[in-house]
Amino acid sequence: MNNGTETAADFAELLEWDRRRVGEELHDTICQTLSGATLLLEVISRASTDGKPPSTDVLARFRNVVERATNEARALSRRFDPPPFNPAGLLGALQDLATQVPGCEFICEKPVFVTQPDAALALHRIAETACFNYGQHSRSSTIRLEEQTGTVRLIIECCIRSGAENPDDFRLAKKLMEIRAAAAGGAFTMDEGSDGCLVFVCELPSQN
Amino acid sequence: MTTPAQKRFKILIVENHPDTLASLTLYFEDLEHEVFTATTLEEARAELVKTAPDVLLCDIGLPDGKGWDLLSSVDLEKPLFAAAMSGFGMNADNARSREAGFRRHLVKPFKVAELDKLLEEAAAELNPERS
C-alpha cells in the first residue's frame, strides 16, 4: 500500500465495503426472518378472515419467528458494538462468534486472558471479519486462541466451499484484518494450508 | 379456504431461509397444493427433474449460487410457471429474472394477495380452458 491519495482511496474503499457488509448482514438475517414473520402473519390473518381461527401450532410458530428476529437483532448489535472486554471476555466472545457460523468450532486448550481491552477488541474484530467473509463460505472452520512465550496468537482456519469464493470480499477482508493487526501492534499473515484451507494468524504481544 | 385458482398444483419452493420456507409451505399446503422444497441450487435442480412441478417459486440468493441460473441448467419436460423472489426489486433484478425465464419477480416481504395472483396467472397459463 502506498502513501498519500492511494492510501486514502484504500481506506475509503474499505469503509464503503464494511458499510455494505453491514447492510448485507441485516438483509440476510433479520430482514429475511421478518419477511417470514410477515408472511406467516398474513396467512394467520387470511385464515381468521375466512372464519378459521389460527391453530395454536401456527401461533406458536409465529411467536418463535418473532423471537428469532429479536435474537438476531441482539446478536448483530453485540457483534457490531460489543461490550468492553474484561480479561476473560475474549474467550466468551470468540465462543459466541463460533456458534454464529455454521460448521465453526472454537478451540482454546488453555485459558488466555487478554488484559488490554483494545487488544481483545482487535482480535475479536479480526476473528469476526474472517468468520463472516470466509467462514460463512466454508464447509468447516476453526477459531483457535493460544498464548505462548509472550505472544497471544489467534489462528483461524477456513476451508472454503468450492465455487463460494468472492475475490473482492476476500481481498478487502484480508486488508481489513491486516490493518487491525497493525493498529494493535501485531502481525497478520494469511497462508494456504496443505488441504487447500486458508489459515489466518494474528499475533499480538501478550500484555500479561 | 378456496381461491380462484382451483387447480391443485405441484409447487416447488426453493428457499434457504427456514422461516420464509416454512411460511410459504404452510400457505400453499393450506390451499391443498402439493409442496416440494429445496434449499440449494443443487437440490432444486434434482427436485425439478424428479417432481416435474407445475409452479416454481425460487429465491435468488441461494447458498450455492443464484436462482437465476436454475432454469437454464435443467431440461424441463413440461410447462412450468416460474416466479423469482428476493429482497431486492430494482429494475435490473426484474429484468434479469425475466431473462432467466421467470414470469414474475416477487420482492420480499410480499403479501399473500401477490401469491394468490401468482396462482391465478399460473392457472390461466397452464390450464387455459379452466381459467
Side-chain angles (χ1 to χ4, degrees), chain B residues 21-67:
Chain B
L21 181 59
S23 300
L24 285 169
T25 303
L26 180 68
Y27 167 72
F28 288 122
E29 285 183 342
D30 211 40
L31 294 174
E32 297 179 8
H33 297 290
E34 193 179 1
V35 178
F36 303 88
T37 62
T39 59
T40 65
L41 209 52
E42 191 181 340
E43 279 178 22
R45 287 188 190 108
E47 204 62 41
L48 264 180
V49 169
K50 187 173 123 195
T51 60
D54 305 298
V55 176
L56 166 70
L57 196 53
C58 182
D59 191 35
I60 295 303
L62 294 168
D64 57 344
K66 297 289 186 192

mmCIF file of all heavy atoms in Angstrom, chain B residues 21-67:
data_model
loop_
_atom_site.group_PDB
_atom_site.id
_atom_site.type_symbol
_atom_site.label_atom_id
_atom_site.label_comp_id
_atom_site.label_asym_id
_atom_site.label_seq_id
_atom_site.Cartn_x
_atom_site.Cartn_y
_atom_site.Cartn_z
ATOM 1 N N LEU B 21 -39.367 -20.283 4.119
ATOM 2 C CA LEU B 21 -39.739 -21.554 3.510
ATOM 3 C C LEU B 21 -40.929 -22.169 4.243
ATOM 4 O O LEU B 21 -41.882 -22.645 3.613
ATOM 5 C CB LEU B 21 -38.538 -22.512 3.547
ATOM 6 C CG LEU B 21 -38.747 -23.884 2.921
ATOM 7 C CD1 LEU B 21 -39.130 -23.765 1.454
ATOM 8 C CD2 LEU B 21 -37.490 -24.754 3.052
ATOM 9 N N ALA B 22 -40.886 -22.136 5.579
ATOM 10 C CA ALA B 22 -41.975 -22.727 6.359
ATOM 11 C C ALA B 22 -43.282 -21.972 6.124
ATOM 12 O O ALA B 22 -44.347 -22.588 5.988
ATOM 13 C CB ALA B 22 -41.611 -22.710 7.843
ATOM 14 N N SER B 23 -43.214 -20.653 6.066
ATOM 15 C CA SER B 23 -44.431 -19.847 5.870
ATOM 16 C C SER B 23 -45.035 -20.093 4.494
ATOM 17 O O SER B 23 -46.257 -20.241 4.363
ATOM 18 C CB SER B 23 -44.125 -18.361 6.034
ATOM 19 O OG SER B 23 -43.625 -18.096 7.330
ATOM 20 N N LEU B 24 -44.183 -20.135 3.488
ATOM 21 C CA LEU B 24 -44.684 -20.380 2.124
ATOM 22 C C LEU B 24 -45.281 -21.785 2.018
ATOM 23 O O LEU B 24 -46.333 -21.982 1.401
ATOM 24 C CB LEU B 24 -43.549 -20.219 1.109
ATOM 25 C CG LEU B 24 -43.131 -18.780 0.808
ATOM 26 C CD1 LEU B 24 -41.830 -18.765 0.016
ATOM 27 C CD2 LEU B 24 -44.223 -18.050 0.041
ATOM 28 N N THR B 25 -44.610 -22.747 2.614
ATOM 29 C CA THR B 25 -45.110 -24.124 2.592
ATOM 30 C C THR B 25 -46.475 -24.191 3.257
ATOM 31 O O THR B 25 -47.418 -24.815 2.728
ATOM 32 C CB THR B 25 -44.120 -25.067 3.297
ATOM 33 O OG1 THR B 25 -42.848 -24.961 2.659
ATOM 34 C CG2 THR B 25 -44.596 -26.496 3.263
ATOM 35 N N LEU B 26 -46.598 -23.539 4.409
ATOM 36 C CA LEU B 26 -47.865 -23.532 5.145
ATOM 37 C C LEU B 26 -48.976 -22.920 4.297
ATOM 38 O O LEU B 26 -50.084 -23.465 4.210
ATOM 39 C CB LEU B 26 -47.689 -22.730 6.437
ATOM 40 C CG LEU B 26 -48.909 -22.609 7.347
ATOM 41 C CD1 LEU B 26 -49.239 -23.966 7.947
ATOM 42 C CD2 LEU B 26 -48.647 -21.609 8.469
ATOM 43 N N TYR B 27 -48.643 -21.808 3.659
ATOM 44 C CA TYR B 27 -49.645 -21.105 2.847
ATOM 45 C C TYR B 27 -50.147 -22.004 1.709
ATOM 46 O O TYR B 27 -51.349 -22.190 1.519
ATOM 47 C CB TYR B 27 -49.048 -19.815 2.278
ATOM 48 C CG TYR B 27 -49.901 -19.197 1.193
ATOM 49 C CD1 TYR B 27 -51.105 -18.566 1.494
ATOM 50 C CD2 TYR B 27 -49.521 -19.273 -0.144
ATOM 51 C CE1 TYR B 27 -51.901 -18.031 0.498
ATOM 52 C CE2 TYR B 27 -50.313 -18.749 -1.138
ATOM 53 C CZ TYR B 27 -51.499 -18.130 -0.815
ATOM 54 O OH TYR B 27 -52.289 -17.604 -1.812
ATOM 55 N N PHE B 28 -49.239 -22.596 0.962
ATOM 56 C CA PHE B 28 -49.648 -23.397 -0.200
ATOM 57 C C PHE B 28 -50.321 -24.699 0.217
ATOM 58 O O PHE B 28 -51.284 -25.140 -0.414
ATOM 59 C CB PHE B 28 -48.446 -23.679 -1.105
ATOM 60 C CG PHE B 28 -47.967 -22.469 -1.872
ATOM 61 C CD1 PHE B 28 -46.668 -22.010 -1.738
ATOM 62 C CD2 PHE B 28 -48.818 -21.783 -2.730
ATOM 63 C CE1 PHE B 28 -46.226 -20.898 -2.445
ATOM 64 C CE2 PHE B 28 -48.384 -20.670 -3.431
ATOM 65 C CZ PHE B 28 -47.089 -20.228 -3.282
ATOM 66 N N GLU B 29 -49.823 -25.320 1.275
ATOM 67 C CA GLU B 29 -50.439 -26.581 1.723
ATOM 68 C C GLU B 29 -51.838 -26.325 2.285
ATOM 69 O O GLU B 29 -52.728 -27.170 2.148
ATOM 70 C CB GLU B 29 -49.560 -27.263 2.776
ATOM 71 C CG GLU B 29 -48.331 -27.921 2.146
ATOM 72 C CD GLU B 29 -47.481 -28.670 3.153
ATOM 73 O OE1 GLU B 29 -47.612 -28.439 4.380
ATOM 74 O OE2 GLU B 29 -46.671 -29.505 2.706
ATOM 75 N N ASP B 30 -52.020 -25.149 2.898
ATOM 76 C CA ASP B 30 -53.348 -24.777 3.399
ATOM 77 C C ASP B 30 -54.349 -24.675 2.256
ATOM 78 O O ASP B 30 -55.551 -24.898 2.436
ATOM 79 C CB ASP B 30 -53.226 -23.428 4.116
ATOM 80 C CG ASP B 30 -54.226 -23.292 5.242
ATOM 81 O OD1 ASP B 30 -54.447 -24.291 5.952
ATOM 82 O OD2 ASP B 30 -54.793 -22.203 5.396
ATOM 83 N N LEU B 31 -53.844 -24.344 1.073
ATOM 84 C CA LEU B 31 -54.691 -24.270 -0.122
ATOM 85 C C LEU B 31 -54.745 -25.613 -0.845
ATOM 86 O O LEU B 31 -55.235 -25.696 -1.970
ATOM 87 C CB LEU B 31 -54.150 -23.198 -1.092
ATOM 88 C CG LEU B 31 -54.222 -21.759 -0.581
ATOM 89 C CD1 LEU B 31 -53.525 -20.824 -1.551
ATOM 90 C CD2 LEU B 31 -55.666 -21.329 -0.384
ATOM 91 N N GLU B 32 -54.210 -26.641 -0.200
ATOM 92 C CA GLU B 32 -54.255 -28.018 -0.695
ATOM 93 C C GLU B 32 -53.424 -28.253 -1.942
ATOM 94 O O GLU B 32 -53.702 -29.169 -2.722
ATOM 95 C CB GLU B 32 -55.713 -28.471 -0.921
ATOM 96 C CG GLU B 32 -56.497 -28.474 0.389
ATOM 97 C CD GLU B 32 -57.934 -28.886 0.205
ATOM 98 O OE1 GLU B 32 -58.305 -29.321 -0.899
ATOM 99 O OE2 GLU B 32 -58.696 -28.759 1.161
ATOM 100 N N HIS B 33 -52.384 -27.456 -2.128
ATOM 101 C CA HIS B 33 -51.413 -27.744 -3.174
ATOM 102 C C HIS B 33 -50.374 -28.706 -2.630
ATOM 103 O O HIS B 33 -50.171 -28.814 -1.420
ATOM 104 C CB HIS B 33 -50.726 -26.465 -3.653
ATOM 105 C CG HIS B 33 -51.669 -25.479 -4.281
ATOM 106 N ND1 HIS B 33 -52.262 -25.707 -5.510
ATOM 107 C CD2 HIS B 33 -52.129 -24.282 -3.847
ATOM 108 C CE1 HIS B 33 -53.045 -24.691 -5.799
ATOM 109 N NE2 HIS B 33 -52.991 -23.810 -4.812
ATOM 110 N N GLU B 34 -49.722 -29.432 -3.560
ATOM 111 C CA GLU B 34 -48.684 -30.367 -3.145
ATOM 112 C C GLU B 34 -47.351 -29.630 -3.198
ATOM 113 O O GLU B 34 -46.959 -29.119 -4.247
ATOM 114 C CB GLU B 34 -48.669 -31.561 -4.106
ATOM 115 C CG GLU B 34 -47.863 -32.740 -3.622
ATOM 116 C CD GLU B 34 -47.906 -33.905 -4.606
ATOM 117 O OE1 GLU B 34 -48.549 -33.771 -5.667
ATOM 118 O OE2 GLU B 34 -47.258 -34.921 -4.321
ATOM 119 N N VAL B 35 -46.684 -29.552 -2.077
ATOM 120 C CA VAL B 35 -45.493 -28.699 -1.976
ATOM 121 C C VAL B 35 -44.239 -29.536 -1.850
ATOM 122 O O VAL B 35 -44.166 -30.477 -1.061
ATOM 123 C CB VAL B 35 -45.606 -27.746 -0.766
ATOM 124 C CG1 VAL B 35 -44.333 -26.911 -0.640
ATOM 125 C CG2 VAL B 35 -46.824 -26.830 -0.916
ATOM 126 N N PHE B 36 -43.231 -29.157 -2.627
ATOM 127 C CA PHE B 36 -41.898 -29.743 -2.526
ATOM 128 C C PHE B 36 -40.937 -28.606 -2.232
ATOM 129 O O PHE B 36 -41.187 -27.473 -2.608
ATOM 130 C CB PHE B 36 -41.507 -30.434 -3.846
ATOM 131 C CG PHE B 36 -42.484 -31.485 -4.269
ATOM 132 C CD1 PHE B 36 -43.591 -31.161 -5.053
ATOM 133 C CD2 PHE B 36 -42.332 -32.803 -3.876
ATOM 134 C CE1 PHE B 36 -44.509 -32.115 -5.428
ATOM 135 C CE2 PHE B 36 -43.243 -33.768 -4.247
ATOM 136 C CZ PHE B 36 -44.338 -33.428 -5.024
ATOM 137 N N THR B 37 -39.865 -28.930 -1.565
ATOM 138 C CA THR B 37 -38.955 -27.851 -1.184
ATOM 139 C C THR B 37 -37.509 -28.195 -1.506
ATOM 140 O O THR B 37 -37.129 -29.368 -1.596
ATOM 141 C CB THR B 37 -39.054 -27.542 0.321
ATOM 142 O OG1 THR B 37 -38.669 -28.707 1.057
ATOM 143 C CG2 THR B 37 -40.455 -27.116 0.726
ATOM 144 N N ALA B 38 -36.707 -27.132 -1.664
ATOM 145 C CA ALA B 38 -35.258 -27.280 -1.824
ATOM 146 C C ALA B 38 -34.614 -26.060 -1.202
ATOM 147 O O ALA B 38 -35.209 -24.970 -1.196
ATOM 148 C CB ALA B 38 -34.887 -27.381 -3.310
ATOM 149 N N THR B 39 -33.427 -26.249 -0.665
ATOM 150 C CA THR B 39 -32.768 -25.119 -0.002
ATOM 151 C C THR B 39 -31.492 -24.681 -0.711
ATOM 152 O O THR B 39 -30.849 -23.718 -0.298
ATOM 153 C CB THR B 39 -32.423 -25.466 1.460
ATOM 154 O OG1 THR B 39 -31.574 -26.611 1.463
ATOM 155 C CG2 THR B 39 -33.664 -25.754 2.268
ATOM 156 N N THR B 40 -31.111 -25.416 -1.751
ATOM 157 C CA THR B 40 -29.923 -25.033 -2.531
ATOM 158 C C THR B 40 -30.227 -25.197 -4.014
ATOM 159 O O THR B 40 -31.200 -25.855 -4.399
ATOM 160 C CB THR B 40 -28.704 -25.914 -2.195
ATOM 161 O OG1 THR B 40 -28.990 -27.257 -2.606
ATOM 162 C CG2 THR B 40 -28.370 -25.887 -0.711
ATOM 163 N N LEU B 41 -29.346 -24.634 -4.824
ATOM 164 C CA LEU B 41 -29.484 -24.728 -6.287
ATOM 165 C C LEU B 41 -29.366 -26.193 -6.712
ATOM 166 O O LEU B 41 -30.137 -26.686 -7.555
ATOM 167 C CB LEU B 41 -28.368 -23.902 -6.922
ATOM 168 C CG LEU B 41 -28.612 -23.263 -8.282
ATOM 169 C CD1 LEU B 41 -29.878 -22.470 -8.303
ATOM 170 C CD2 LEU B 41 -27.426 -22.347 -8.604
ATOM 171 N N GLU B 42 -28.436 -26.886 -6.071
ATOM 172 C CA GLU B 42 -28.209 -28.288 -6.437
ATOM 173 C C GLU B 42 -29.447 -29.123 -6.122
ATOM 174 O O GLU B 42 -29.889 -29.937 -6.939
ATOM 175 C CB GLU B 42 -27.006 -28.825 -5.652
ATOM 176 C CG GLU B 42 -26.515 -30.173 -6.142
ATOM 177 C CD GLU B 42 -25.337 -30.684 -5.307
ATOM 178 O OE1 GLU B 42 -24.672 -29.884 -4.633
ATOM 179 O OE2 GLU B 42 -25.111 -31.901 -5.340
ATOM 180 N N GLU B 43 -30.010 -28.905 -4.937
ATOM 181 C CA GLU B 43 -31.239 -29.636 -4.563
ATOM 182 C C GLU B 43 -32.371 -29.275 -5.513
ATOM 183 O O GLU B 43 -33.183 -30.126 -5.878
ATOM 184 C CB GLU B 43 -31.662 -29.254 -3.137
ATOM 185 C CG GLU B 43 -30.935 -29.974 -2.034
ATOM 186 C CD GLU B 43 -31.384 -29.486 -0.654
ATOM 187 O OE1 GLU B 43 -32.495 -28.923 -0.535
ATOM 188 O OE2 GLU B 43 -30.605 -29.646 0.292
ATOM 189 N N ALA B 44 -32.436 -28.006 -5.895
ATOM 190 C CA ALA B 44 -33.525 -27.544 -6.755
ATOM 191 C C ALA B 44 -33.464 -28.216 -8.124
ATOM 192 O O ALA B 44 -34.491 -28.615 -8.688
ATOM 193 C CB ALA B 44 -33.457 -26.027 -6.911
ATOM 194 N N ARG B 45 -32.253 -28.343 -8.669
ATOM 195 C CA ARG B 45 -32.097 -28.997 -9.983
ATOM 196 C C ARG B 45 -32.622 -30.432 -9.908
ATOM 197 O O ARG B 45 -33.362 -30.886 -10.781
ATOM 198 C CB ARG B 45 -30.623 -29.014 -10.395
ATOM 199 C CG ARG B 45 -30.093 -27.669 -10.812
ATOM 200 C CD ARG B 45 -28.692 -27.787 -11.404
ATOM 201 N NE ARG B 45 -28.111 -26.464 -11.579
ATOM 202 C CZ ARG B 45 -27.127 -25.968 -10.833
ATOM 203 N NH1 ARG B 45 -26.589 -26.675 -9.880
ATOM 204 N NH2 ARG B 45 -26.673 -24.748 -11.063
ATOM 205 N N ALA B 46 -32.232 -31.119 -8.852
ATOM 206 C CA ALA B 46 -32.653 -32.516 -8.694
ATOM 207 C C ALA B 46 -34.164 -32.602 -8.516
ATOM 208 O O ALA B 46 -34.832 -33.464 -9.097
ATOM 209 C CB ALA B 46 -31.932 -33.139 -7.499
ATOM 210 N N GLU B 47 -34.701 -31.697 -7.717
ATOM 211 C CA GLU B 47 -36.137 -31.739 -7.413
ATOM 212 C C GLU B 47 -36.972 -31.375 -8.644
ATOM 213 O O GLU B 47 -38.035 -31.959 -8.870
ATOM 214 C CB GLU B 47 -36.417 -30.764 -6.262
ATOM 215 C CG GLU B 47 -37.649 -31.051 -5.440
ATOM 216 C CD GLU B 47 -37.628 -32.380 -4.717
ATOM 217 O OE1 GLU B 47 -36.572 -32.769 -4.168
ATOM 218 O OE2 GLU B 47 -38.668 -33.055 -4.738
ATOM 219 N N LEU B 48 -36.465 -30.448 -9.445
ATOM 220 C CA LEU B 48 -37.178 -30.063 -10.678
ATOM 221 C C LEU B 48 -37.337 -31.266 -11.597
ATOM 222 O O LEU B 48 -38.396 -31.493 -12.178
ATOM 223 C CB LEU B 48 -36.403 -28.970 -11.428
ATOM 224 C CG LEU B 48 -36.811 -27.519 -11.208
ATOM 225 C CD1 LEU B 48 -35.916 -26.600 -12.032
ATOM 226 C CD2 LEU B 48 -38.263 -27.280 -11.570
ATOM 227 N N VAL B 49 -36.277 -32.029 -11.718
ATOM 228 C CA VAL B 49 -36.313 -33.197 -12.609
ATOM 229 C C VAL B 49 -37.187 -34.296 -12.002
ATOM 230 O O VAL B 49 -37.978 -34.941 -12.667
ATOM 231 C CB VAL B 49 -34.862 -33.704 -12.852
ATOM 232 C CG1 VAL B 49 -34.868 -35.050 -13.531
ATOM 233 C CG2 VAL B 49 -34.075 -32.690 -13.659
ATOM 234 N N LYS B 50 -37.051 -34.482 -10.704
ATOM 235 C CA LYS B 50 -37.738 -35.598 -10.037
ATOM 236 C C LYS B 50 -39.246 -35.362 -9.946
ATOM 237 O O LYS B 50 -40.037 -36.256 -10.199
ATOM 238 C CB LYS B 50 -37.146 -35.762 -8.631
ATOM 239 C CG LYS B 50 -37.634 -36.971 -7.867
ATOM 240 C CD LYS B 50 -36.838 -37.108 -6.569
ATOM 241 C CE LYS B 50 -37.820 -37.106 -5.407
ATOM 242 N NZ LYS B 50 -37.234 -36.892 -4.100
ATOM 243 N N THR B 51 -39.663 -34.151 -9.554
ATOM 244 C CA THR B 51 -41.083 -33.933 -9.274
ATOM 245 C C THR B 51 -41.840 -33.302 -10.437
ATOM 246 O O THR B 51 -43.060 -33.350 -10.450
ATOM 247 C CB THR B 51 -41.287 -33.042 -8.032
ATOM 248 O OG1 THR B 51 -40.666 -31.769 -8.276
ATOM 249 C CG2 THR B 51 -40.661 -33.660 -6.814
ATOM 250 N N ALA B 52 -41.120 -32.687 -11.387
ATOM 251 C CA ALA B 52 -41.766 -32.009 -12.514
ATOM 252 C C ALA B 52 -42.936 -31.139 -12.027
ATOM 253 O O ALA B 52 -44.108 -31.395 -12.354
ATOM 254 C CB ALA B 52 -42.262 -33.026 -13.543
ATOM 255 N N PRO B 53 -42.656 -30.105 -11.260
ATOM 256 C CA PRO B 53 -43.737 -29.295 -10.696
ATOM 257 C C PRO B 53 -44.432 -28.444 -11.754
ATOM 258 O O PRO B 53 -43.923 -28.263 -12.858
ATOM 259 C CB PRO B 53 -43.002 -28.404 -9.678
ATOM 260 C CG PRO B 53 -41.627 -28.275 -10.227
ATOM 261 C CD PRO B 53 -41.330 -29.576 -10.903
ATOM 262 N N ASP B 54 -45.597 -27.937 -11.379
ATOM 263 C CA ASP B 54 -46.311 -27.000 -12.243
ATOM 264 C C ASP B 54 -45.833 -25.573 -12.009
ATOM 265 O O ASP B 54 -45.786 -24.756 -12.925
ATOM 266 C CB ASP B 54 -47.820 -27.047 -11.938
ATOM 267 C CG ASP B 54 -48.375 -28.443 -12.048
ATOM 268 O OD1 ASP B 54 -48.317 -29.005 -13.157
ATOM 269 O OD2 ASP B 54 -48.869 -28.976 -11.025
ATOM 270 N N VAL B 55 -45.543 -25.273 -10.742
ATOM 271 C CA VAL B 55 -45.175 -23.912 -10.340
ATOM 272 C C VAL B 55 -43.862 -23.952 -9.583
ATOM 273 O O VAL B 55 -43.634 -24.853 -8.757
ATOM 274 C CB VAL B 55 -46.285 -23.285 -9.453
ATOM 275 C CG1 VAL B 55 -45.875 -21.909 -8.948
ATOM 276 C CG2 VAL B 55 -47.606 -23.207 -10.210
ATOM 277 N N LEU B 56 -43.015 -23.003 -9.878
ATOM 278 C CA LEU B 56 -41.731 -22.878 -9.175
ATOM 279 C C LEU B 56 -41.670 -21.500 -8.542
ATOM 280 O O LEU B 56 -41.959 -20.491 -9.191
ATOM 281 C CB LEU B 56 -40.570 -23.035 -10.162
ATOM 282 C CG LEU B 56 -39.184 -22.619 -9.666
ATOM 283 C CD1 LEU B 56 -38.667 -23.599 -8.620
ATOM 284 C CD2 LEU B 56 -38.197 -22.530 -10.835
ATOM 285 N N LEU B 57 -41.308 -21.473 -7.257
ATOM 286 C CA LEU B 57 -41.072 -20.199 -6.563
ATOM 287 C C LEU B 57 -39.642 -20.285 -6.058
ATOM 288 O O LEU B 57 -39.329 -21.133 -5.212
ATOM 289 C CB LEU B 57 -42.057 -20.063 -5.395
ATOM 290 C CG LEU B 57 -42.259 -18.701 -4.767
ATOM 291 C CD1 LEU B 57 -42.608 -17.665 -5.802
ATOM 292 C CD2 LEU B 57 -43.364 -18.774 -3.712
ATOM 293 N N CYS B 58 -38.756 -19.456 -6.613
ATOM 294 C CA CYS B 58 -37.335 -19.633 -6.377
ATOM 295 C C CYS B 58 -36.667 -18.379 -5.850
ATOM 296 O O CYS B 58 -36.740 -17.314 -6.485
ATOM 297 C CB CYS B 58 -36.657 -20.082 -7.678
ATOM 298 S SG CYS B 58 -34.900 -20.402 -7.506
ATOM 299 N N ASP B 59 -36.023 -18.486 -4.713
ATOM 300 C CA ASP B 59 -35.244 -17.371 -4.174
ATOM 301 C C ASP B 59 -34.010 -17.161 -5.045
ATOM 302 O O ASP B 59 -33.483 -18.106 -5.614
ATOM 303 C CB ASP B 59 -34.836 -17.700 -2.727
ATOM 304 C CG ASP B 59 -34.255 -16.500 -2.022
ATOM 305 O OD1 ASP B 59 -34.703 -15.366 -2.280
ATOM 306 O OD2 ASP B 59 -33.354 -16.677 -1.186
ATOM 307 N N ILE B 60 -33.568 -15.921 -5.136
ATOM 308 C CA ILE B 60 -32.408 -15.635 -5.980
ATOM 309 C C ILE B 60 -31.095 -15.872 -5.217
ATOM 310 O O ILE B 60 -30.162 -16.459 -5.745
ATOM 311 C CB ILE B 60 -32.462 -14.184 -6.507
ATOM 312 C CG1 ILE B 60 -33.668 -14.003 -7.435
ATOM 313 C CG2 ILE B 60 -31.169 -13.819 -7.235
ATOM 314 C CD1 ILE B 60 -33.705 -14.951 -8.613
ATOM 315 N N GLY B 61 -31.054 -15.448 -3.971
ATOM 316 C CA GLY B 61 -29.820 -15.590 -3.194
ATOM 317 C C GLY B 61 -29.758 -16.927 -2.490
ATOM 318 O O GLY B 61 -30.308 -17.094 -1.407
ATOM 319 N N LEU B 62 -29.115 -17.898 -3.102
ATOM 320 C CA LEU B 62 -29.015 -19.246 -2.529
ATOM 321 C C LEU B 62 -27.579 -19.521 -2.115
ATOM 322 O O LEU B 62 -26.651 -18.897 -2.636
ATOM 323 C CB LEU B 62 -29.487 -20.289 -3.549
ATOM 324 C CG LEU B 62 -30.972 -20.196 -3.905
ATOM 325 C CD1 LEU B 62 -31.288 -21.045 -5.126
ATOM 326 C CD2 LEU B 62 -31.820 -20.644 -2.719
ATOM 327 N N PRO B 63 -27.364 -20.464 -1.182
ATOM 328 C CA PRO B 63 -26.005 -20.673 -0.655
ATOM 329 C C PRO B 63 -24.988 -21.077 -1.719
ATOM 330 O O PRO B 63 -23.805 -20.760 -1.603
ATOM 331 C CB PRO B 63 -26.173 -21.808 0.363
ATOM 332 C CG PRO B 63 -27.615 -21.849 0.672
ATOM 333 C CD PRO B 63 -28.345 -21.336 -0.514
ATOM 334 N N ASP B 64 -25.456 -21.812 -2.773
ATOM 335 C CA ASP B 64 -24.502 -22.326 -3.759
ATOM 336 C C ASP B 64 -24.680 -21.687 -5.128
ATOM 337 O O ASP B 64 -24.279 -22.255 -6.140
ATOM 338 C CB ASP B 64 -24.626 -23.864 -3.870
ATOM 339 C CG ASP B 64 -26.031 -24.320 -4.219
ATOM 340 O OD1 ASP B 64 -26.977 -23.526 -4.089
ATOM 341 O OD2 ASP B 64 -26.192 -25.482 -4.607
ATOM 342 N N GLY B 65 -25.263 -20.495 -5.163
ATOM 343 C CA GLY B 65 -25.395 -19.822 -6.448
ATOM 344 C C GLY B 65 -26.637 -18.965 -6.502
ATOM 345 O O GLY B 65 -27.322 -18.751 -5.496
ATOM 346 N N LYS B 66 -26.923 -18.451 -7.678
ATOM 347 C CA LYS B 66 -28.088 -17.578 -7.864
ATOM 348 C C LYS B 66 -29.242 -18.357 -8.490
ATOM 349 O O LYS B 66 -29.051 -19.161 -9.399
ATOM 350 C CB LYS B 66 -27.719 -16.415 -8.807
ATOM 351 C CG LYS B 66 -26.646 -15.503 -8.257
ATOM 352 C CD LYS B 66 -27.185 -14.672 -7.124
ATOM 353 C CE LYS B 66 -26.166 -13.644 -6.671
ATOM 354 N NZ LYS B 66 -26.552 -13.021 -5.404
ATOM 355 N N GLY B 67 -30.428 -18.062 -8.022
ATOM 356 C CA GLY B 67 -31.612 -18.704 -8.580
ATOM 357 C C GLY B 67 -31.761 -18.432 -10.058
ATOM 358 O O GLY B 67 -32.396 -19.207 -10.778
#
